[in-house]
Amino acid sequence: MKQSAVIAWRNIWRNKRRTLITGAAIAFSSAILIFFIGLQLSSYSAAIQATTSIFQGHLQIMLPAYNEEGEIRDTFQHAETLREKLLRVDGISDIAPRAEGFAILSSASRTFGAKILGVLPEQERNLSTIPGLMKSGTYLSSPTAKELVLGKTLARNLKVEVGDEVTLLGQGKDGSTAAALLTVKGIFESGSLDLDRALLEIPLGTFREVFSLGHLQDNEAHLFAARVNHIMQTEKVVDRLNHNFRSAEAELEAYTWDQITPGLKQAIELDMASGWLFYLSLIVIVVFGVLNTFLMSILERTKEFGMLLALGMNPKSIVSLILLECVLLLCVGIIPGIALGAGILYYFHIYGFSIPGTEEAMKMWNLPSAIHPEITLLNLSLGPSILFLLAVVLIIPFVLRIFKLEPLEAMRAV
Amino acid sequence: MIGQIELQDVTRTYTQGEETIHALHHATLTLEPGEFTTFYGPSGSGKSTALNIIGGLDLPSSGKVLVGDASLTEMTRSERADFRLHHIGFVFQAYNLIPVLSAIENVEFIMQLQGITGDERKERAASVLKQVGLSGMELRRPGELSGGQQQRVAVARAIASNPELVLADEPTANLDSTTSEALIELMLELNETYKSTFIFSTHDPLVMKSAHRLIELKDGQIISDSNKEVA
């Protein structure tokens, strides 16, 4: 093996210029792949983070029936006790109970429909960015106050300002009429058009009272929204919850952010597909360059392979030697490429990457104006690994021709 | 030891367009172990074909080749390759050294394929290189050696693992007369030392003069076979 590695390494440097040019092409494309993949994955991460942090959390826990039908009657009890237990589950950093309903809202001059969210203000501050996105007024003050906060579009539609009163009219859990007169405590601007147009938050205690969610001591809620320590752990935590927690506690089921908001995942997948079209084009071009270099090198050495076969070398050993040369040639490009790519990623990780003129658009989508790509093993290895594997796989059929080589014919090759 | 080499009514034909060429035509001969034999004759007489068939690099169109107890004609491709590796040393006209390896690494190469371990391999390679007069040039690559020196490395490679049979296809064709003479003397010495069977193909009078047995070929047929008295 050592001898083969020595021969393979020296063989790739027989034509230094050709190897350097091929290596440079591999290095350059690897660095480009690392940078763009890193940027793309980090922008998805930022988009997911932004979306989940506004309101929905990384995961939600609820009764399966509520997830399917969204009926107000599908509540669970003892939310506070459950919360304490859930907080002890490995991976969960924050968790808060919520109740949801729909109601007609009336101001002095307008009527609109909206989603009503019952929240515990203190717990919500750790989970959602809405308490910090108040455009005017302040966030909810206590779990039982007769107040509300609403999105700026909804406020504009209702023509209300901080201090105004809004009448809420809906249906309670028991079928009774849910009605209340609440004061506007604050108006938020989340950056999400949907939330700003159709979300209204009230204290959870008030919600339970207005929508008749059982007795106060029952602590009923529709769901828990939770954050995990790192978004990449979401699935693991959800599995953990569904395997270890569900059987013991109230038939609740946990759902990941993408199960709750499949649209975001689909948008990411669509964007990823177009990104990969570019990456694969780049990879294919580079792989053809590598193939060209390699086939030249194989054809030039047909006579030498014939000599090796004549001396009694096993064709398998020759094939292994050539594949080892291919791997080394790829490494000559990929290793500096990864170093270069990591350097570029590191620079933008520190200073951020932004396209001039897009800051406003990014802000509108609640995204940071600059992306700070992460330096992860995945970002560093994904592109170069695909390039490496594709090159090796495409070279194999050419290398296998060695098995058909007759020593005498090969030695006579020009 | 591989023992006697027998060619039994061996014919090798090639087709070139519509023409059939008999590179070897009903050749029958026996070569004894330890012989220093030369096939000679004009170009196209079948010298190289005979050598290639004895070495298992080519197969006859008809007839049988026996090397000791082994029938080369009945072996599979990989069995023949294995046989070559363990029993035959080759010296080619164009040296055919591995250009990226030094002289000593070239000599070690075959021994490594044979599974000979590191220290023993190195020792033997250095000793054989010394024997062929290349002491001090062990680390030079083929490109840094003259034609004669490269052919010496090729001889060293061929004999390093003490093969029972050494086949040399026109080994002096690219060498000047002084270098040729030195090389032939070296091979005679090795033949004497190791008792290996040496078979050459050549039209070099120097080689013919030194051979113990001369087999003349013409149009693929053996037209004379003479043994000289060895002193």
Side-chain angles (χ1 to χ4, degrees), chain B residues 38-62:
Chain B
T38 293
F39 288 112
Y40 73 100
S43 291
S45 59
K47 308 183 295 287
S48 296
T49 306
L51 225 60
N52 291 335
I53 283 176
I54 292 169
L57 290 173
D58 199 3
L59 285 175
S61 309
S62 66

PDB file of all heavy atoms in Angstrom, chain B residues 38-62:
ATOM      1  N   THR B  38      19.731 -18.594 -27.151  1.00  0.00           N
ATOM      2  CA  THR B  38      19.381 -17.425 -27.958  1.00  0.00           C
ATOM      3  C   THR B  38      18.566 -17.842 -29.175  1.00  0.00           C
ATOM      4  O   THR B  38      18.932 -18.761 -29.902  1.00  0.00           O
ATOM      5  CB  THR B  38      20.659 -16.712 -28.426  1.00  0.00           C
ATOM      6  OG1 THR B  38      21.306 -16.176 -27.295  1.00  0.00           O
ATOM      7  CG2 THR B  38      20.360 -15.608 -29.402  1.00  0.00           C
ATOM      8  N   PHE B  39      17.443 -17.148 -29.333  1.00  0.00           N
ATOM      9  CA  PHE B  39      16.699 -17.259 -30.603  1.00  0.00           C
ATOM     10  C   PHE B  39      17.233 -16.155 -31.499  1.00  0.00           C
ATOM     11  O   PHE B  39      17.293 -14.998 -31.085  1.00  0.00           O
ATOM     12  CB  PHE B  39      15.206 -17.006 -30.381  1.00  0.00           C
ATOM     13  CG  PHE B  39      14.485 -18.110 -29.652  1.00  0.00           C
ATOM     14  CD1 PHE B  39      13.993 -17.923 -28.385  1.00  0.00           C
ATOM     15  CD2 PHE B  39      14.292 -19.347 -30.260  1.00  0.00           C
ATOM     16  CE1 PHE B  39      13.312 -18.926 -27.711  1.00  0.00           C
ATOM     17  CE2 PHE B  39      13.609 -20.362 -29.591  1.00  0.00           C
ATOM     18  CZ  PHE B  39      13.125 -20.162 -28.317  1.00  0.00           C
ATOM     19  N   TYR B  40      17.602 -16.509 -32.687  1.00  0.00           N
ATOM     20  CA  TYR B  40      18.046 -15.456 -33.600  1.00  0.00           C
ATOM     21  C   TYR B  40      17.421 -15.648 -34.964  1.00  0.00           C
ATOM     22  O   TYR B  40      16.918 -16.722 -35.300  1.00  0.00           O
ATOM     23  CB  TYR B  40      19.582 -15.383 -33.655  1.00  0.00           C
ATOM     24  CG  TYR B  40      20.252 -16.509 -34.414  1.00  0.00           C
ATOM     25  CD1 TYR B  40      20.681 -16.321 -35.717  1.00  0.00           C
ATOM     26  CD2 TYR B  40      20.470 -17.744 -33.805  1.00  0.00           C
ATOM     27  CE1 TYR B  40      21.312 -17.342 -36.413  1.00  0.00           C
ATOM     28  CE2 TYR B  40      21.079 -18.780 -34.496  1.00  0.00           C
ATOM     29  CZ  TYR B  40      21.497 -18.577 -35.810  1.00  0.00           C
ATOM     30  OH  TYR B  40      22.093 -19.592 -36.504  1.00  0.00           O
ATOM     31  N   GLY B  41      17.529 -14.650 -35.747  1.00  0.00           N
ATOM     32  CA  GLY B  41      16.940 -14.679 -37.085  1.00  0.00           C
ATOM     33  C   GLY B  41      16.539 -13.278 -37.484  1.00  0.00           C
ATOM     34  O   GLY B  41      16.570 -12.346 -36.665  1.00  0.00           O
ATOM     35  N   PRO B  42      16.165 -13.105 -38.762  1.00  0.00           N
ATOM     36  CA  PRO B  42      15.809 -11.757 -39.224  1.00  0.00           C
ATOM     37  C   PRO B  42      14.503 -11.257 -38.582  1.00  0.00           C
ATOM     38  O   PRO B  42      13.781 -12.025 -37.958  1.00  0.00           O
ATOM     39  CB  PRO B  42      15.633 -11.950 -40.736  1.00  0.00           C
ATOM     40  CG  PRO B  42      15.365 -13.399 -40.918  1.00  0.00           C
ATOM     41  CD  PRO B  42      16.037 -14.118 -39.811  1.00  0.00           C
ATOM     42  N   SER B  43      14.235  -9.995 -38.795  1.00  0.00           N
ATOM     43  CA  SER B  43      12.981  -9.431 -38.257  1.00  0.00           C
ATOM     44  C   SER B  43      11.795 -10.209 -38.824  1.00  0.00           C
ATOM     45  O   SER B  43      11.776 -10.538 -40.017  1.00  0.00           O
ATOM     46  CB  SER B  43      12.850  -7.965 -38.674  1.00  0.00           C
ATOM     47  OG  SER B  43      13.812  -7.227 -38.020  1.00  0.00           O
ATOM     48  N   GLY B  44      10.818 -10.476 -37.974  1.00  0.00           N
ATOM     49  CA  GLY B  44       9.619 -11.188 -38.416  1.00  0.00           C
ATOM     50  C   GLY B  44       9.815 -12.693 -38.471  1.00  0.00           C
ATOM     51  O   GLY B  44       8.939 -13.424 -38.945  1.00  0.00           O
ATOM     52  N   SER B  45      10.947 -13.171 -37.951  1.00  0.00           N
ATOM     53  CA  SER B  45      11.200 -14.614 -38.022  1.00  0.00           C
ATOM     54  C   SER B  45      10.452 -15.381 -36.925  1.00  0.00           C
ATOM     55  O   SER B  45      10.312 -16.595 -37.003  1.00  0.00           O
ATOM     56  CB  SER B  45      12.704 -14.877 -37.915  1.00  0.00           C
ATOM     57  OG  SER B  45      13.191 -14.354 -36.687  1.00  0.00           O
ATOM     58  N   GLY B  46       9.996 -14.676 -35.884  1.00  0.00           N
ATOM     59  CA  GLY B  46       9.220 -15.334 -34.820  1.00  0.00           C
ATOM     60  C   GLY B  46       9.959 -15.413 -33.495  1.00  0.00           C
ATOM     61  O   GLY B  46       9.481 -16.066 -32.559  1.00  0.00           O
ATOM     62  N   LYS B  47      11.100 -14.716 -33.398  1.00  0.00           N
ATOM     63  CA  LYS B  47      11.898 -14.755 -32.148  1.00  0.00           C
ATOM     64  C   LYS B  47      11.077 -14.240 -30.954  1.00  0.00           C
ATOM     65  O   LYS B  47      10.955 -14.917 -29.939  1.00  0.00           O
ATOM     66  CB  LYS B  47      13.157 -13.855 -32.258  1.00  0.00           C
ATOM     67  CG  LYS B  47      14.029 -14.073 -33.436  1.00  0.00           C
ATOM     68  CD  LYS B  47      15.251 -13.188 -33.396  1.00  0.00           C
ATOM     69  CE  LYS B  47      14.939 -11.692 -33.513  1.00  0.00           C
ATOM     70  NZ  LYS B  47      14.534 -11.276 -34.856  1.00  0.00           N
ATOM     71  N   SER B  48      10.566 -13.026 -31.140  1.00  0.00           N
ATOM     72  CA  SER B  48       9.823 -12.412 -30.024  1.00  0.00           C
ATOM     73  C   SER B  48       8.562 -13.203 -29.712  1.00  0.00           C
ATOM     74  O   SER B  48       8.189 -13.359 -28.544  1.00  0.00           O
ATOM     75  CB  SER B  48       9.451 -10.970 -30.353  1.00  0.00           C
ATOM     76  OG  SER B  48      10.628 -10.220 -30.479  1.00  0.00           O
ATOM     77  N   THR B  49       7.903 -13.716 -30.754  1.00  0.00           N
ATOM     78  CA  THR B  49       6.684 -14.516 -30.541  1.00  0.00           C
ATOM     79  C   THR B  49       7.011 -15.733 -29.684  1.00  0.00           C
ATOM     80  O   THR B  49       6.273 -16.070 -28.742  1.00  0.00           O
ATOM     81  CB  THR B  49       6.074 -14.935 -31.893  1.00  0.00           C
ATOM     82  OG1 THR B  49       5.877 -13.775 -32.683  1.00  0.00           O
ATOM     83  CG2 THR B  49       4.766 -15.681 -31.713  1.00  0.00           C
ATOM     84  N   ALA B  50       8.134 -16.394 -30.023  1.00  0.00           N
ATOM     85  CA  ALA B  50       8.537 -17.577 -29.245  1.00  0.00           C
ATOM     86  C   ALA B  50       8.751 -17.203 -27.783  1.00  0.00           C
ATOM     87  O   ALA B  50       8.284 -17.892 -26.867  1.00  0.00           O
ATOM     88  CB  ALA B  50       9.806 -18.173 -29.841  1.00  0.00           C
ATOM     89  N   LEU B  51       9.441 -16.080 -27.588  1.00  0.00           N
ATOM     90  CA  LEU B  51       9.727 -15.616 -26.227  1.00  0.00           C
ATOM     91  C   LEU B  51       8.429 -15.275 -25.469  1.00  0.00           C
ATOM     92  O   LEU B  51       8.262 -15.649 -24.309  1.00  0.00           O
ATOM     93  CB  LEU B  51      10.612 -14.372 -26.321  1.00  0.00           C
ATOM     94  CG  LEU B  51      11.809 -14.305 -25.392  1.00  0.00           C
ATOM     95  CD1 LEU B  51      12.741 -15.472 -25.655  1.00  0.00           C
ATOM     96  CD2 LEU B  51      12.555 -12.996 -25.597  1.00  0.00           C
ATOM     97  N   ASN B  52       7.543 -14.584 -26.178  1.00  0.00           N
ATOM     98  CA  ASN B  52       6.271 -14.197 -25.544  1.00  0.00           C
ATOM     99  C   ASN B  52       5.428 -15.417 -25.175  1.00  0.00           C
ATOM    100  O   ASN B  52       4.758 -15.430 -24.147  1.00  0.00           O
ATOM    101  CB  ASN B  52       5.461 -13.290 -26.474  1.00  0.00           C
ATOM    102  CG  ASN B  52       6.113 -11.930 -26.636  1.00  0.00           C
ATOM    103  OD1 ASN B  52       6.860 -11.489 -25.766  1.00  0.00           O
ATOM    104  ND2 ASN B  52       5.859 -11.268 -27.758  1.00  0.00           N
ATOM    105  N   ILE B  53       5.483 -16.425 -26.024  1.00  0.00           N
ATOM    106  CA  ILE B  53       4.698 -17.643 -25.751  1.00  0.00           C
ATOM    107  C   ILE B  53       5.316 -18.405 -24.576  1.00  0.00           C
ATOM    108  O   ILE B  53       4.600 -18.874 -23.680  1.00  0.00           O
ATOM    109  CB  ILE B  53       4.577 -18.498 -27.030  1.00  0.00           C
ATOM    110  CG1 ILE B  53       3.522 -17.854 -27.956  1.00  0.00           C
ATOM    111  CG2 ILE B  53       4.200 -19.941 -26.706  1.00  0.00           C
ATOM    112  CD1 ILE B  53       3.339 -18.500 -29.278  1.00  0.00           C
ATOM    113  N   ILE B  54       6.647 -18.477 -24.546  1.00  0.00           N
ATOM    114  CA  ILE B  54       7.304 -19.159 -23.410  1.00  0.00           C
ATOM    115  C   ILE B  54       7.012 -18.407 -22.106  1.00  0.00           C
ATOM    116  O   ILE B  54       6.822 -19.009 -21.052  1.00  0.00           O
ATOM    117  CB  ILE B  54       8.833 -19.275 -23.651  1.00  0.00           C
ATOM    118  CG1 ILE B  54       9.099 -20.241 -24.804  1.00  0.00           C
ATOM    119  CG2 ILE B  54       9.569 -19.743 -22.388  1.00  0.00           C
ATOM    120  CD1 ILE B  54      10.533 -20.246 -25.303  1.00  0.00           C
ATOM    121  N   GLY B  55       6.929 -17.082 -22.203  1.00  0.00           N
ATOM    122  CA  GLY B  55       6.693 -16.248 -21.009  1.00  0.00           C
ATOM    123  C   GLY B  55       5.228 -16.117 -20.634  1.00  0.00           C
ATOM    124  O   GLY B  55       4.897 -15.432 -19.662  1.00  0.00           O
ATOM    125  N   GLY B  56       4.351 -16.737 -21.417  1.00  0.00           N
ATOM    126  CA  GLY B  56       2.922 -16.673 -21.092  1.00  0.00           C
ATOM    127  C   GLY B  56       2.308 -15.309 -21.375  1.00  0.00           C
ATOM    128  O   GLY B  56       1.214 -15.003 -20.904  1.00  0.00           O
ATOM    129  N   LEU B  57       3.016 -14.505 -22.160  1.00  0.00           N
ATOM    130  CA  LEU B  57       2.438 -13.198 -22.533  1.00  0.00           C
ATOM    131  C   LEU B  57       1.519 -13.353 -23.739  1.00  0.00           C
ATOM    132  O   LEU B  57       0.695 -12.501 -24.010  1.00  0.00           O
ATOM    133  CB  LEU B  57       3.548 -12.195 -22.872  1.00  0.00           C
ATOM    134  CG  LEU B  57       4.413 -11.715 -21.703  1.00  0.00           C
ATOM    135  CD1 LEU B  57       5.564 -10.863 -22.212  1.00  0.00           C
ATOM    136  CD2 LEU B  57       3.585 -10.917 -20.731  1.00  0.00           C
ATOM    137  N   ASP B  58       1.717 -14.434 -24.470  1.00  0.00           N
ATOM    138  CA  ASP B  58       0.921 -14.699 -25.667  1.00  0.00           C
ATOM    139  C   ASP B  58       0.553 -16.180 -25.641  1.00  0.00           C
ATOM    140  O   ASP B  58       1.251 -16.985 -25.006  1.00  0.00           O
ATOM    141  CB  ASP B  58       1.760 -14.356 -26.912  1.00  0.00           C
ATOM    142  CG  ASP B  58       0.899 -14.153 -28.143  1.00  0.00           C
ATOM    143  OD1 ASP B  58      -0.338 -14.225 -28.010  1.00  0.00           O
ATOM    144  OD2 ASP B  58       1.465 -13.912 -29.227  1.00  0.00           O
ATOM    145  N   LEU B  59      -0.515 -16.530 -26.318  1.00  0.00           N
ATOM    146  CA  LEU B  59      -0.911 -17.938 -26.353  1.00  0.00           C
ATOM    147  C   LEU B  59      -0.799 -18.467 -27.779  1.00  0.00           C
ATOM    148  O   LEU B  59      -1.098 -17.737 -28.734  1.00  0.00           O
ATOM    149  CB  LEU B  59      -2.351 -18.081 -25.871  1.00  0.00           C
ATOM    150  CG  LEU B  59      -2.583 -17.954 -24.358  1.00  0.00           C
ATOM    151  CD1 LEU B  59      -4.073 -17.982 -24.055  1.00  0.00           C
ATOM    152  CD2 LEU B  59      -1.872 -19.074 -23.594  1.00  0.00           C
ATOM    153  N   PRO B  60      -0.391 -19.687 -27.944  1.00  0.00           N
ATOM    154  CA  PRO B  60      -0.309 -20.225 -29.305  1.00  0.00           C
ATOM    155  C   PRO B  60      -1.707 -20.453 -29.883  1.00  0.00           C
ATOM    156  O   PRO B  60      -2.654 -20.702 -29.138  1.00  0.00           O
ATOM    157  CB  PRO B  60       0.434 -21.547 -29.099  1.00  0.00           C
ATOM    158  CG  PRO B  60       0.244 -21.916 -27.688  1.00  0.00           C
ATOM    159  CD  PRO B  60       0.040 -20.662 -26.928  1.00  0.00           C
ATOM    160  N   SER B  61      -1.778 -20.394 -31.215  1.00  0.00           N
ATOM    161  CA  SER B  61      -3.062 -20.699 -31.866  1.00  0.00           C
ATOM    162  C   SER B  61      -3.315 -22.193 -31.785  1.00  0.00           C
ATOM    163  O   SER B  61      -4.461 -22.643 -31.707  1.00  0.00           O
ATOM    164  CB  SER B  61      -3.036 -20.257 -33.325  1.00  0.00           C
ATOM    165  OG  SER B  61      -2.612 -18.920 -33.417  1.00  0.00           O
ATOM    166  N   SER B  62      -2.234 -22.989 -31.819  1.00  0.00           N
ATOM    167  CA  SER B  62      -2.347 -24.432 -31.582  1.00  0.00           C
ATOM    168  C   SER B  62      -1.036 -24.918 -30.977  1.00  0.00           C
ATOM    169  O   SER B  62      -0.020 -24.225 -31.025  1.00  0.00           O
ATOM    170  CB  SER B  62      -2.661 -25.164 -32.897  1.00  0.00           C
ATOM    171  OG  SER B  62      -1.566 -25.052 -33.781  1.00  0.00           O
TER     172      SER B  62
END
